[in-house]
Amino acid sequence: MESLDKTEWDVVISGTGLPQSLLALSLSRSGLNILHVDRNGYYGGNEAAFVLSEAEDWAQKHSGDTQGTFSHAEVVRPSDDSSVKEQLGQSRAYSLALAPQLVYTRSSLLPALVSSRTHEQLEFQAVGSWFTVSIPSDDSGSQETSPSFARVPSGREDIFSDNTLDLRAKRSLTKFLRFVSTYDTEEQQEQWERINGKAAVQSLREDFGLKAEAAIAPLLALALTSSSPDAATMAEVVPKIARHIRSTGLFGPGFSAVLPKWGGLSEVAQVACRAGAVGGGVYVLGKGVTGVAQKDDGASEVELSDGERVSGKWLVGCPDDLPSSLRSRASSEASEIVARSVSIISSPLAMLFPATSEGGVTPAGAVVVATSSDPKEPPVHIIAHSSDSGECPQGQCILYAFTASSAGFRHLEAAIGSLLRSSGDETESKVLWSLRFQQTLPVFSSEPAGEYQQKVIELRPLPTDVALSECVLEDVKQAWSKIKGDTADDFMKFPPREGEEEEF
């Protein structure tokens, strides 16, 4: 392409991760002159999806103990099992996601994709059942022959047909779920103010009469909290369980969440970038932002990694994609560290993907929450994607696991081992290939972005939550409003282009 040197732009967006790509989508009908660059040679940034060979190249790049977002990456292949090696498909048979987060059906992202007319380019699939599984407590390496494995009840009918609960526990559980569904109403305000600061396990026992661990563990699983059972509070747990309950049945019976097909949130980012390009945005991969200087008129002179300089009235990016001098909202002292793995499994693990209801859809996703006997140990969350997700060949599945446990990779390996021993498959389920890595995200303050705050916008990176956080679209909306100066009512609402029919 022609040189970018000395060109002028209304908005320069650095990085093609999900937040930046959604911003590009929101500005795609604005008439603004937009340059969207990425230091990587692929779309998606920290939310990218890779074929097998690309994932191995990515692991090599992030193998060191660095100060970046990703570190300690390594690929683990079975070295002494020829049958396992033969089962691994061709590189392009896989699409492995760095951001496999599920999307609740009540998420604000979904109506934004509809009103921005990009939903037809995406395919979402149901995330069906939630499960719990125990992690062996013996650190010596011995394994339980039959780890405790159970499906989490998804409604009143499931609760009362659960043989692991006595009648008193079932009534207490039903009472709690009724409270959760209305916890933020005026009617429940007094009780909510009284209990929201309490430890979740303590409050469930004292305030709702839930004494049995068999009733408490599923509730913590529904909350998808990264905190240990001992540390989780009602303020953390109740809103997340309410999110689950309120999302169930919106798009069909028996499921509360969906996943984008073909590579997790990378697909959403790429569709958003395509919309930006259709709107006239210029996209350049392999060029990052390395320096910024403020001009007299308030605009930024942006230096790109190849030495070219461009001018932008606005500069937007996540911390990874901006020079360190601009990362003033992120704390240098506090960070969140998560151990993660992506594993290709030799069998479909069909027991994880039952139909969502009688006559309902067969889901492509499931959630497994693995816990140890130590209540101070954070859980391992495993998101399972079947081959229907388009991420692996038929007869296999993908397990995405992550934990805030200090035990890191060892805890992930133990959790996946417990799940595979619980599979009930006639043939032994094995890990054919695994990528594991550490992800570190800064803790953000609410302060604006320093001396460049008027014309430089620092978006928060995607949190490491199991489910997509509402803060992602909220950040994008705030950035859009600063740049456009329009009211929030117009955000992501596009009329049909010429030749398109109005659908809603």
Side-chain angles (χ1 to χ4, degrees):
M1 64 171 292
E2 295 180 4
S3 172
L4 294 173
D5 200 34
K6 296 183 175 56
T7 54
E8 297 184 356
W9 306 85
D10 293 311
V11 185
V12 177
I13 302 176
S14 181
T16 56
L18 183 66
Q20 301 100 307
S21 299
L22 289 174
L23 178 62
L25 169 61
S26 71
L27 295 171
S28 63
R29 303 281 189 100
S30 65
L32 296 175
N33 192 21
I34 298 172
L35 173 64
H36 200 162
V37 299
D38 196 312
R39 70 185 189 281
N40 299 304
Y42 51 81
Y43 286 94
N46 293 349
E47 291 77 61
F50 302 121
V51 302
L52 215 56
S53 60
E54 291 170 340
E56 294 184 345
D57 290 342
W58 182 92
Q60 186 173 10
K61 178 180 177 182
H62 297 281
S63 61
D65 180 7
T66 68
Q67 300 300 312
T69 298
F70 300 109
S71 62
H72 300 86
E74 61 176 324
V75 170
V76 180
R77 291 174 176 266
S79 58
D80 55 355
D81 191 333
S82 59
S83 65
V84 167
K85 294 179 181 179
E86 292 171 0
Q87 291 179 70
L88 196 62
Q90 296 295 316
S91 176
R92 301 199 69 81
Y94 300 92
S95 180
L96 306 176
L98 291 180
Q101 282 95 327
L102 57 88
V103 181
Y104 274 103
T105 59
R106 293 282 181 186
S107 168
S108 59
L109 174 67
L110 299 179
L113 293 175
V114 173
S115 64
S116 63
R117 316 188 70 81
T118 51
H119 62 292
E120 289 189 347
Q121 301 174 51
L122 292 159
E123 183 175 345
F124 288 94
Q125 300 171 301
V127 177
S129 300
W130 263 238
F131 300 88
T132 59
V133 68
S134 61
I135 300 176
S137 57
D138 186 356
D139 291 335
S140 67
S142 64
Q143 296 178 336
E144 300 175 17
T145 56
S146 299
S148 173
F149 178 81
R151 183 170 178 264
V152 175
S154 60
R156 179 183 172 87
E157 185 176 335
D158 282 349
I159 291 172
F160 280 92
S161 63
D162 190 337
N163 295 327
T164 65
L165 302 174
D166 60 29
L167 185 58
R168 181 177 179 180
K170 292 175 181 179
R171 287 174 175 168
S172 296
L173 189 53
T174 302
K175 173 187 174 183
F176 173 70
L177 292 178
R178 279 201 301 266
F179 166 77
V180 168
S181 65
T182 59
Y183 83 96
D184 51 357
T185 64
E186 185 176 350
E187 177 187 359
Q188 302 288 3
Q189 182 178 358
E190 182 179 347
Q191 183 177 9
W192 178 235
E193 289 180 351
R194 178 170 55 83
I195 69 172
N196 64 27
K198 295 179 70 172
V201 173
Q202 177 190 3
S203 182
L204 289 171
R205 289 173 176 162
E206 295 177 357
D207 302 310
F208 296 95
L210 281 165
K211 308 296 184 182
E213 179 62 25
I216 294 175
L219 292 175
L220 296 181
L222 288 182
L224 298 179
T225 173
S226 60
S227 301
S228 67
D230 267 6
T233 65
M234 292 297 271
E236 181 181 8
V237 166
V238 170
K240 292 183 177 181
I241 298 177
R243 173 183 61 178
H244 182 96
I245 293 173
R246 293 168 181 175
S247 295
T248 301
L250 182 63
F251 292 162
F255 67 95
S256 61
V258 294
L259 60 88
K261 189 175 182 179
W262 306 116
L265 295 175
S266 170
E267 280 298 296
V268 180
Q270 292 200 52
V271 166
C273 286
R274 286 200 291 271
V278 170
V282 174
Y283 281 77
V284 182
L285 298 180
K287 285 189 182 184
V289 173
T290 56
V292 179
Q294 194 170 33
K295 300 172 70 174
D296 292 340
D297 60 0
S300 296
E301 184 178 67
V302 179
E303 182 178 355
L304 302 178
S305 53
D306 62 355
E308 293 180 330
R309 295 177 183 271
V310 301
S311 177
K313 295 178 182 177
W314 290 92
L315 172 63
V316 188
C318 287
D320 274 3
D321 300 295
L322 294 174
S324 57
S325 60
L326 298 182
R327 302 175 194 171
S328 55
R329 284 182 61 200
S331 169
S332 60
E333 298 178 357
S335 60
E336 176 188 11
I337 301 175
V338 177
R340 309 188 67 157
S341 69
V342 182
S343 300
I344 300 171
I345 307 303
S346 64
S347 68
L349 298 183
M351 90 290 191
L352 297 179
F353 308 102
T356 55
S357 62
E358 186 176 349
V361 301
T362 299
V367 177
V368 181
V369 180
T371 56
S372 72
S373 58
D374 183 357
K376 291 182 171 57
E377 191 68 47
V380 173
H381 289 104
I382 302 172
I383 304 179
H385 288 191
S386 76
S387 60
D388 290 342
S389 69
E391 297 174 15
C392 63
Q394 290 287 328
Q396 299 178 10
C397 69
I398 307 294
L399 298 181
Y400 297 98
F402 35 103
T403 183
S405 168
S406 59
F409 299 150
R410 181 168 56 85
H411 210 41
L412 295 179
E413 186 176 0
I416 292 172
S418 289
L419 174 57
L420 296 186
R421 293 197 303 280
S422 305
S423 68
D425 287 353
E426 294 182 2
T427 58
E428 182 183 0
S429 299
K430 298 180 179 180
V431 177
L432 301 179
W433 180 98
S434 182
L435 165 66
R436 56 193 187 189
F437 55 94
Q438 181 174 290
Q439 184 174 7
T440 304
L441 290 180
V443 174
F444 272 71
S445 71
S446 59
E447 296 299 319
E451 70 176 287
Y452 297 106
Q453 60 180 299
Q454 299 303 318
K455 293 296 182 180
V456 175
I457 300 174
E458 184 180 22
L459 298 171
R460 284 176 289 186
L462 201 70
T464 58
D465 298 347
V466 182
L468 178 66
S469 172
E470 289 294 287
C471 76
V472 175
L473 202 63
E474 290 169 3
D475 266 14
V476 171
K477 183 184 292 188
Q478 289 180 14
W480 172 87
S481 182
K482 286 182 180 180
I483 294 169
K484 284 275 290 162
D486 291 344
T487 65
D489 291 341
D490 298 324
F491 179 67
M492 291 279 201
K493 293 181 179 178
F494 300 158
R497 296 183 187 274
E498 185 177 350
E500 287 183 339
E501 295 182 3
E502 184 66 70
E503 298 176 355
F504 44 86

